[in-house]
Amino acid sequence: MGQLVSGQWRDEELRRIGSKGEFIRTESPYRAWVAPSSREFAVESGRYHLFVNSGCPWAYRTLLYRKLKSLEQHISVSLTAPAAGPEGWTFGEARESLLHAHHMHDVYTNADNLFTGRCTVPVLWDKTQQTIVNNESSEIIRMLNSAFDGLPGVTLADYYPEALREQIDELNELVYRTVNNGVYRCGFAQSQTAYEQAYDTLFNTLDLLDSRLAEQRYLCGDSPTEADWRLFATLIRFDLAYYSQFRCNRNMLQEFTHLWPYTRDLYQYPGVAETVDFEAIKGIYFGSRPPRILPKGPVLDFYEPHHRGA
Ligand SMILES: N[C@@H](CCC(=O)N[C@@H](CS)C(=O)NCC(=O)O)C(=O)O
């Protein structure tokens, strides 16, 4: 995908490959926080907006949290088309309704007309200051987890409880490196060695998590936490996309004894199924490049009983 250079779209791939052929992810540039104590980005209903592609696992995290926390009435959303075009993520000819943006790069130039860099989703947008607050999904979900809790109708569930933070941070580090980003390291590797290393570390972690989930319902005990939701965003895409498109094919998620019912358990958690758009998942991974043919299978039943507790 291309990028912006001094506010102009260039249809040239940015170099993201290391000397050993390994994929290197670019840092997100916008890192401010909405917080009750913030003067710059205060908590207000209707002030913030998300620009998201629901097929993307990173952007999906924010859609999932918006639902889990019942923030739909306070934070609005624009969805890009699942597949990228020659100018990156697009809202189509009809444009999205907040900024009348045609492409995601228009959102970035609305914030900074000389922006240089990748135009990634998700973006958390401030309607008051007409700028991007943050474009790093791990930070946006932390904000959604608690910053808006004082607004009416918000679900007060805490997916990053104080007592479990150390454990969650540790799991997040492992899961990000070897699973969330690990599937991309398999799919985007430019050498056999880099691919095989990514593949081995990915499946080593999945085996480890499978054993851990034999003992407990969720990664940190009896209730889902941020660590589970971040893992879920990758697992729900695994058999549909990563297994074939990214060559993560030692085995399918469906073949894991515990990870597969665990994924169904999370899918069946109140509200979650509504956030998963299987066509968008296929669209982003198979529709962005010619011949743009979406696979019909595999057939997966996420509603099959999981037998993992109430
Ligand atoms: N660190 C970012 C990564 C987001 C990301 O890579 N999003 C992809 C979509 S799955 C994207 O927009 N890619 C476009 C590009 O890299 O130019 C986050 O977690 O928010």
Side-chain angles (χ1 to χ4, degrees):
M1 196 182 289
Q3 56 169 321
L4 282 174
V5 177
S6 305
Q8 300 299 314
W9 182 258
R10 298 263 181 86
D11 195 10
E12 297 157 11
E13 186 59 42
L14 259 187
R15 192 167 166 76
R16 291 188 294 176
I17 301 298
S19 59
K20 298 191 180 88
E22 75 280 19
F23 167 65
I24 300 168
R25 189 168 289 281
T26 319
E27 284 279 317
S28 308
Y30 286 98
R31 310 299 282 266
W33 283 71
V34 175
S37 58
S38 170
R39 270 206 237 149
E40 206 187 351
F41 297 112
V43 175
E44 283 171 42
S45 180
R47 175 166 168 178
Y48 299 98
H49 188 87
L50 282 166
F51 292 96
V52 172
N53 175 322
S54 54
C56 159
W58 317 102
Y60 170 71
R61 292 170 167 181
T62 68
L63 272 184
L64 173 64
Y65 263 69
R66 178 173 174 263
K67 181 77 196 176
L68 291 172
K69 296 287 300 181
S70 310
L71 287 165
E72 296 101 313
Q73 53 178 321
H74 301 299
I75 301 175
S76 44
V77 176
S78 292
L79 294 179
T80 71
E87 293 189 51
W89 306 124
T90 175
F91 298 100
E93 289 303 327
R95 299 172 182 243
E96 56 76 43
S97 57
L98 183 71
L99 305 174
H100 304 287
H102 187 179
H103 296 101
M104 198 57 208
H105 67 71
D106 299 325
V107 174
Y108 280 79
T109 49
N110 258 277
D112 170 4
N113 60 10
L114 292 175
F115 182 79
T116 293
R118 309 189 73 92
C119 299
T120 57
V121 284
V123 157
L124 181 66
W125 179 266
D126 176 12
K127 298 176 195 171
T128 302
Q129 299 187 61
Q130 293 286 306
T131 195
I132 296 173
V133 182
N134 194 302
N135 70 339
E136 170 51 47
S137 62
S138 57
E139 294 179 354
I140 299 173
I141 63 171
R142 285 276 164 88
M143 289 177 229
L144 302 191
N145 182 58
S146 56
F148 296 87
D149 280 2
L151 296 180
V154 174
T155 301
L156 296 178
D158 180 4
Y159 297 107
Y160 192 53
E162 195 88 45
L164 295 175
R165 286 188 184 175
E166 213 171 299
Q167 218 183 118
I168 295 171
D169 290 346
E170 226 171 86
L171 279 158
N172 281 349
E173 191 283 320
L174 173 76
V175 169
Y176 170 76
R177 186 166 45 80
T178 61
V179 181
N180 304 140
N181 200 38
V183 293
Y184 282 86
R185 288 171 68 86
C186 289
F188 292 168
Q190 293 291 316
S191 74
Q192 188 69 33
T193 316
Y195 158 66
E196 287 188 17
Q197 270 172 4
Y199 173 107
D200 290 341
T201 46
L202 164 67
F203 283 99
N204 284 345
T205 299
L206 293 180
D207 287 341
L208 191 93
L209 297 175
D210 199 55
S211 313
R212 186 178 178 115
L213 291 164
E215 308 296 327
Q216 54 199 51
R217 184 168 176 185
Y218 301 109
L219 291 178
C220 298
D222 298 334
S223 311
T225 66
E226 184 186 287
D228 296 289
W229 298 125
R230 288 175 43 141
L231 176 60
F232 176 73
T234 298
L235 296 184
I236 197 78
R237 287 162 173 73
F238 202 89
D239 288 356
L240 285 175
Y242 304 139
Y243 179 87
S244 53
Q245 186 70 311
F246 283 0
R247 303 182 196 89
C248 301
N249 57 3
R250 192 195 76 186
N251 50 266
M252 295 183 95
L253 178 72
Q254 291 188 83
E255 294 167 72
F256 281 97
T257 315
H258 306 290
L259 274 173
W260 170 231
Y262 160 82
T263 305
R264 301 200 308 272
D265 188 0
L266 291 172
Y267 181 79
Q268 292 168 30
Y269 192 85
V272 172
E274 290 164 55
T275 64
V276 181
D277 181 343
F278 295 111
E279 286 312 299
I281 294 173
K282 290 182 184 178
I284 191 173
Y285 292 105
F286 296 94
S288 292
R289 267 167 282 156
R292 303 184 196 278
I293 296 168
L294 308 192
K296 263 184 101 168
V299 177
L300 300 165
D301 182 7
F302 287 101
Y303 281 114
E304 190 189 319
H306 53 76
H307 305 299
R308 289 183 64 81

